[in-house]
Amino acid sequence: MVIEIENLKKSFKEVKAVDGLSFNVKDGELFAFLGVNGAGKSTTINIICGILNKDGGTVKVCGKDIDQNTDSIKSELGIVFQNSVLDKRLSVYDNLKYRAGLYGIYGNEFKQRLDEMDGLLGLNELYKRPVGKLSGGQRRRVDIARALLHKPKLLILDEPTTGLDPQTRQTAWTVVDKLRKETGLTVFLTTHYMEEAGEADYVVILDSGKKAAEGTPHELKTKYASDFIRFYKHLDEAEKYFQGKSYTVKRVRDFVEVEFKDTANVGVFFNENSAIFEDFEVLKGNMDNVFLKVTGKDLKEV
């Protein structure tokens, strides 16, 4: 296990930010850690990174207890924070050079690592430019390079693609996927994009400092998510037919949407009233549906 957390607790006065949290992250796994703002995600990450002291429980990273091995654990971590921590006054090259120096990476070794980052992220054209003059997408590419310079075993991505254009998001994930396949890199992800969480190997959903649900995306969708049928013709008939049958029926613009827990029932309704199925589609449940069912909150709106 790369991360082992048991009964983790952390409070700020009367607020229990993390309340008896337990989970494991396996080697080479893409692990998604989900929750609304204030759910306890950042507190947990800060404890894993040695930035915050915990009140109780145990935390092990790469087999080492965080209480006795904070410095050595930090050398195993690479972190891409939600807000960039690069020095805006310095050039991209100097930012990366000073960061590498913290890990004892100098001279030819630094040049080699820089070449590797350029191959992954296309940074060569940016080296002389001040970070403060970069676009958000360019800055994020440098953030990722900064986190990977020392070849960490665990990469923590704290909402790494928020606000980025689709091309930069794709670049970031291409790099992460490549490193996971080639080096066995373990990735700990927080994100507000549920399609990213849907690609994870394992997901933990946090609510008010406690674990609300966990499992693979498939397991969570099977357990919590409903499927939907949208009717694009005979809207009045469809709405009338499904109302009163214990299904959630919603009329939106030019279609009627019916929520089904089990789409196997669709065949029954089709046989009873095939006319309303002249123009329809079935939408499978996704991680957005899971999150809403588990927490009662829409992650995109918080």
Side-chain angles (χ1 to χ4, degrees):
M1 295 292 177
V2 174
I3 299 177
E4 300 168 79
I5 291 181
E6 184 69 31
N7 198 29
L8 180 62
K9 296 180 180 180
K10 180 64 180 180
S11 297
F12 298 97
K13 295 183 179 180
E14 289 81 25
V15 178
K16 293 182 179 180
V18 180
D19 189 10
L21 182 62
S22 300
F23 65 85
N24 296 323
V25 179
K26 298 177 182 177
D27 292 279
E29 194 169 55
L30 172 55
F31 180 94
F33 195 51
L34 308 180
V36 299
N37 294 332
K41 304 190 306 295
S42 294
T43 299
T44 302
I45 289 173
N46 287 336
I47 291 171
I48 292 171
C49 298
I51 297 172
L52 273 179
N53 293 323
K54 56 185 173 59
D55 295 337
T58 59
V59 176
K60 292 183 179 180
V61 179
C62 298
K64 303 173 185 176
D65 192 297
I66 192 74
D67 291 334
Q68 284 83 43
N69 303 277
T70 302
D71 290 339
S72 62
I73 286 175
K74 287 181 179 179
S75 68
E76 309 279 13
L77 303 179
I79 309 170
V80 177
F81 293 99
Q82 181 178 355
N83 297 313
S84 178
V85 293
L86 298 167
D87 191 324
K88 295 181 180 180
R89 298 166 297 178
L90 298 179
S91 68
V92 170
Y93 181 89
D94 286 340
N95 265 281
L96 296 178
K97 179 180 179 181
Y98 294 144
R99 180 64 180 178
L102 295 176
Y103 294 94
I105 302 173
Y106 303 101
N108 289 334
E109 185 181 3
F110 172 62
K111 184 179 183 303
Q112 180 183 349
R113 292 299 293 148
L114 211 58
D115 288 343
E116 291 173 9
M117 292 300 101
D118 181 43
L120 288 170
L121 294 156
L123 300 178
N124 187 59
E125 63 186 32
L126 304 178
Y127 286 148
K128 295 181 180 180
R129 297 178 60 181
V131 167
K133 299 293 184 180
L134 302 181
S135 68
Q138 291 169 332
R139 192 176 301 129
R140 183 53 86 205
R141 281 154 56 196
V142 182
D143 283 322
I144 295 171
R146 174 188 177 277
L148 294 172
L149 271 174
H150 60 296
K151 297 184 178 181
K153 293 181 180 178
L154 171 63
L155 179 63
I156 296 177
L157 301 175
D158 188 7
E159 298 185 26
T161 58
T162 298
L164 297 184
D165 61 90
Q167 183 178 356
T168 304
R169 286 179 65 190
Q170 182 61 50
T171 297
W173 280 112
T174 298
V175 170
V176 169
D177 291 342
K178 178 181 175 64
L179 290 173
R180 288 185 64 219
K181 291 176 182 176
E182 294 181 355
T183 71
L185 178 70
T186 303
V187 179
F188 185 101
L189 169 72
T190 75
T191 181
H192 277 201
Y193 294 110
M194 290 296 98
E195 64 269 27
E196 293 180 347
E199 296 299 317
D201 297 305
Y202 203 78
V203 178
V204 164
I205 298 176
L206 203 61
D207 192 21
S208 300
K210 296 182 178 181
K211 185 168 57 181
E214 66 177 319
T216 67
H218 176 72
E219 290 169 344
L220 290 171
K221 284 186 282 188
T222 299
K223 184 174 182 179
Y224 296 104
S226 300
D227 294 337
F228 299 85
I229 298 180
R230 286 183 179 176
F231 297 91
Y232 295 97
K233 286 187 177 180
H234 312 297
L235 304 188
D236 292 336
E237 293 90 334
E239 190 172 25
K240 181 179 179 180
Y241 178 77
F242 284 99
Q243 282 179 343
K245 287 185 168 63
S246 301
Y247 290 91
T248 301
V249 181
K250 182 171 61 175
R251 190 157 184 167
V252 183
R253 299 187 304 278
D254 56 350
F255 62 84
V256 168
E257 182 177 89
V258 182
E259 180 179 352
F260 281 78
K261 185 60 182 175
D262 183 2
T263 48
N265 291 332
V266 174
V268 175
F269 293 117
F270 181 85
N271 290 331
E272 291 180 355
N273 196 342
S274 60
I276 65 173
F277 285 84
E278 182 181 350
D279 187 4
F280 74 99
E281 66 175 334
V282 178
L283 305 176
K284 299 297 292 181
N286 56 32
M287 288 301 295
D288 285 293
N289 305 139
V290 170
F291 192 88
L292 184 60
K293 284 290 178 67
V294 170
T295 67
K297 306 170 183 113
D298 188 338
L299 194 55
K300 294 180 179 178
E301 296 177 359
V302 295

